[in-house]
Each structure stands twice: as C-alpha cells, then as structure tokens.
C-alpha cells in the first residue's frame, strides 16, 4: 500500500459535472481529491482486506443472531424496547440487506492485519464516488496513459448493487423500491439518486420521496405523498432516529419493508464492537473493546479510543494516548453511552491519515474506498482519494 502523488486532471470537474457528481467539493474545498492515489498489491487486496472483510461480515451476522435472541444484548445497545419486536421480526423473516461498509485501520503489507474500527451498516455514504466516479477516474487515467497500463481496481460495487437490488426485489416480491432521503442534503440526495439508477438498471421502479413527505395510513402502511402504500422503502435515515420519531413505533406492525432492514440497527451501533470482541477474543482483525461501564476496560491501559454508541462522522470520538487526550471531536452524541476500543491509529501517508473502507454488498466484499483526514479522527471533512491495484 503506497500513496503516490498524481497530478490531478485539469478537467476533472467537467468530468464530474458530466457524470452527475455534484458534491465533489465542500465549502470550496475538494472532497474528491485525485492529487494522489493509493496503490495496492493484489495480495494486499485479497489477503489483507477482502478475506478479512468476508470473515468480519460473517461474524457480524452471527452477532445479530445472538442479539435477537437475547434481550440483554439489545438493552446493552440502548435500543429502545419498543423497537425490539421489529428487529427480531425482520431478522426472522430474513429481510434482505443491501450494503454496508467496514472501516478498517490498515497500513499495507508488513504492518499487521487490518483492524475493524466500526461497521457502517445502516446509512453509509461515499457510495457513488466509490462505485462510479473512482472507476471512471481509472478508465480515464488508463486511456490517457496517466496510470500504468494494466492497473486495476478492487471495485465491483456497481455491478453487485444492481444484482443485489434485483435479488431484493425478488425476495420481497415487489415491482419497485421507493428511495427516501432529505432532498436538500447534496451528499445524501446524490447517494440515493445513484441507488435509484441502480434499481432502474435492476428492472425495478425507483421513485424518490423526501423523508418528510412519508406518512402512514390506517392500515399501517407507510405511504407516499399521494397516500399510496409503499411496499419497499430504502431510507437514508438512521434507525436510531426512526426509533425516536413518533412513527418509529409503527415499524414493527407495518407491512412496509425497509432497506436497510430493522435488524441492521444492531450492527450500526458501536456497542456491537464490545460484543464482537467477547464472541471472538483475540481475533486478528478485531480490537479489544468494552462498554464504558465495564471494569474490564482497564485491560486497554491508558491508550484507547472512546466512541458514542450512536455517532456519525467521528463526532464525539475521543482518543487517549499514554493517558493524555490526543484528539477529540465535539458533537451532539453520547447520551446513550460509550464504548472503549483499543487504539489502532490510522496510518499516515505524507502527513495524511488514511482510512480504508471495505464495502459489503449483500454478503460479499465488493470494493474499496479510501478517505484521508488531516487528523487522527476521520470526520465529514475527510477527502476521498482513488486507488489502484498495481499491474
């Protein structure tokens, strides 16, 4: 794994405009950053990222099976009791999931195994830029001779999303899936627009609904603006927010099916990191983790990361190294409690902190993305940097 400075294309913004990539910059600063690329060997991809991702995903599913059978686990995750039946029912029906992302600390061959930092199981973004624009960058770089001939990419995200959506439509026996997000959030809307396109390619109807336009009818269906029942709904809206909304209590009794399904709420909770460690202590791709109130956390010593059970984009994450605060990001989370995780600092390349995101589509590893931050905690200001597999 190497970071290679790569002159950016002078016309990449025109490419982005043509591809519909509207959120490539935030507040005038680049989010898409092609001034460098990360290069991997095929062995690094297959042995250090792909296979561990498959194994970690299987472990996550085994954890869900335990959680739905044990109320103590659901309670430990601070999931409200009124949501438990919906979570259990969705798992027992085997409601299909679409995708997720494992965030890993990995510095390349010889630096030790990739370590799981967290699972983005419910509403992961960075999807379009990984699946499409990163691939277009590769093709253009090869065509112009800007990248070594034969360079490849670990990226089957798009093809697998289309195939998975077709499978989901078949499993749920629906002619289409409605897609919902906040319409005025560019990244969210862009992600959902991309998934709509994937669904159309899968042969499904794929209307868009603003989150705030969704209602319910007297039969328990969630309905669109015209009052029509929604058979299947993809929502870029976290389960923990839904559980706290008045209509969240209606999910379990509703015939509407959701993507991601309610059982994904168990995996989008950072408390699951402590449970995974308890299930597989010493696993080479896991970090020791304990709930904040667990005396066993002392095993971590005076270097650890504290994370809220519910949090996004690095908010309210605290890094303690050798007993001193090394980094902290403020935010609105933490009411439900915290988990402590062993410290696996992100590797630094040219002064940037690099986070590896490994995508799971259905149940299979499907691709890779990298985000770079200026600090050791990855936030929504982190930049997306493309990658290649060396020829």
């Amino acid at each position: 794994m190497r970071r290679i400075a790569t002159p950016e294309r002078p016309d990449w913004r025109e490419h982005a405009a043509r591809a519909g990539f509207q959120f490539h910059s935030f507040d005038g600063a680049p989010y898409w950053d092609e001034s460098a690329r990360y290069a991997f060997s095929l062995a690094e991809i297959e042995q250090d990222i792909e296979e561990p991702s498959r194994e970690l995903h299987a472990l996550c599913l085994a954890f869900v099976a335990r959680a739905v059978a044990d109320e103590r686990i659901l309670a430990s995750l601070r999931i409200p009791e009124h949501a438990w039946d919906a979570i259990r029912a969705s798992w027992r029906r085997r409601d299909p999931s679409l995708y997720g992302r494992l965030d890993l600390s990995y510095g390349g061959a010889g630096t030790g195994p990739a370590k799981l930092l967290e699972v983005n199981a419910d509403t992961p973004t960075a999807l379009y830029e990984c699946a499409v624009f990163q691939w277009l960058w590769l093709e253009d770089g090869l065509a112009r001779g800007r990248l070594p001939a034969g360079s490849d990419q670990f990226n089957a995200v798009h093809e697998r999303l289309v195939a998975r959506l077709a499978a989901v439509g078949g499993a749920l026996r629906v002619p289409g899936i409605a897609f919902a997000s906040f319409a005025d959030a560019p990244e969210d809307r862009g992600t959902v627009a991309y998934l709509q396109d994937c669904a159309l390619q899968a042969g499904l109807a794929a209307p868009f609904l603003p989150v705030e336009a969704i209602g319910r009818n007297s039969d328990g269906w969630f309905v669109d603006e015209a009052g029509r029942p929604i058979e299947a709904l993809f929502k870029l809206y976290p389960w923990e927010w839904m559980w706290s909304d008045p209509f969240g209590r209606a999910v379990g009794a509703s015939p509407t099916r959701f993507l991601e399904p309610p059982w994904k709420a168990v995996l989008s909770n950072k408390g699951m990191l402590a449970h995974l460690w308890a299930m597989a202590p010493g696993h080479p791709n896991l970090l020791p983790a304990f709930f904040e109130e667990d005396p066993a956390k002392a095993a971590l010593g005076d270097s650890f990361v504290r994370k809220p059970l519910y949090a996004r984009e690095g908010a309210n994450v605290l890094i303690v190294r050798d007993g001193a605060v090394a980094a902290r990001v403020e935010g609105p989370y933490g009411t439900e409690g915290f988990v402590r995780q062993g410290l696996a600092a992100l590797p630094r390349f040219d002064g940037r902190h690099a986070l590896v995101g490994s995508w799971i589509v259905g149940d299979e590893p499907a691709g890779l993305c990298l985000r770079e931050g200026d600090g050791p905690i990855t936030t929504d200001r982190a930049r997306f940097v493309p990658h290649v597999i060396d020829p």
Side-chain angles (χ1 to χ4, degrees), residues 331-342:
Y333 304 106
T335 301
E336 295 82 6
F338 295 87
V339 66
R340 284 194 186 187
Q341 187 182 43

Side-chain angles (χ1 to χ4, degrees), residues 28-358:
Y31 162 60
W32 169 264
D33 184 356
E34 60 176 51
S35 65
R37 67 181 187 271
Y38 281 88
F40 294 83
S41 69
L42 184 59
E44 287 176 319
I45 294 292
E46 292 181 342
Q47 298 169 19
D48 295 349
I49 296 174
E50 186 175 8
E51 278 310 308
S53 295
R54 181 177 285 106
E55 188 172 331
L56 289 168
H57 177 67
L59 187 62
C60 286
L61 296 182
F63 168 63
V64 178
R66 287 192 182 195
V68 299
D70 189 341
E71 293 182 349
R72 294 171 299 179
I73 293 178
L74 297 175
S76 74
L77 300 177
R78 306 297 191 271
I79 295 174
E81 192 169 345
H82 67 75
W84 293 359
D85 283 344
I87 291 170
R88 293 184 185 114
S90 70
W91 175 256
R92 289 167 182 160
R93 284 193 305 264
R94 296 294 187 265
D95 284 358
S97 67
L98 182 57
Y99 74 109
R101 194 187 70 234
L102 310 177
D103 281 351
L104 307 170
S105 177
Y106 175 70
T111 64
K115 297 292 187 181
L116 178 69
L117 300 180
E118 63 182 59
V119 178
N120 296 275
D122 188 13
T123 58
T125 53
L127 183 66
Y128 167 81
E129 50 271 43
C130 174
V132 178
F133 201 66
Q134 179 179 222
W135 184 258
L136 294 176
W137 166 87
L138 174 72
E139 288 187 326
D140 192 52
L142 290 170
R144 298 191 195 192
R146 297 170 59 89
L147 297 173
S151 295
D152 202 351
Q153 203 171 80
F154 178 34
N155 194 353
V157 175
H158 178 78
E159 294 80 359
R160 293 194 178 170
L161 279 173
V162 173
R164 183 63 179 172
L165 281 161
V168 167
L172 297 179
R173 299 180 180 178
V174 294
I177 300 171
F179 289 81
S181 73
F182 290 113
D184 57 356
E187 185 181 9
D188 288 7
R189 184 66 191 93
T191 300
V192 167
Y194 168 58
L195 286 170
Q196 288 176 265
D197 183 60
C198 290
L200 291 171
Q201 293 184 45
L204 299 169
F208 174 73
L209 283 173
V211 166
E212 54 271 35
I214 297 172
R216 283 192 301 126
N217 68 15
S218 57
D219 295 326
W221 288 93
F222 285 79
V223 298
D224 65 14
E225 295 157 298
R228 294 179 293 243
I230 303 169
E231 293 182 283
L233 175 65
F234 175 91
K235 43 92 200 137
L236 205 64
Y237 188 78
W239 275 115
E240 65 266 25
W241 295 4
M242 287 191 69
W243 303 140
S244 63
D245 288 335
F247 55 77
R249 293 176 177 270
V251 168
S254 174
T256 299
R257 294 291 173 260
F258 293 87
L259 288 170
E260 297 296 332
W263 61 262
K264 277 293 197 78
V266 172
L267 296 179
S268 62
N269 184 304
K270 293 178 181 59
M272 58 86 75
L273 297 167
H275 288 288
L276 289 189
W277 181 251
M279 288 173 63
H283 190 291
N285 300 112
L286 292 178
L287 292 162
F290 307 92
F291 285 95
E292 183 71 7
E293 59 271 24
D294 185 349
K297 67 184 180 184
L300 297 177
D302 56 3
S303 295
F304 57 87
V305 181
R306 193 183 73 167
K307 301 177 177 180
L309 299 188
Y310 296 113
R312 293 170 188 279
E313 305 292 1
N316 297 99
V317 170
L318 170 73
I319 296 179
V320 175
R321 185 190 297 275
D322 299 328
V325 173
R328 178 201 302 270
V329 173
E330 302 298 335
Y333 304 106
T335 301
E336 295 82 6
F338 295 87
V339 66
R340 284 194 186 187
Q341 187 182 43
L343 177 59
L346 294 177
R348 297 183 68 184
F349 295 86
D350 297 336
R352 282 88 163 179
H353 301 258
L355 176 73
V356 171
S358 177

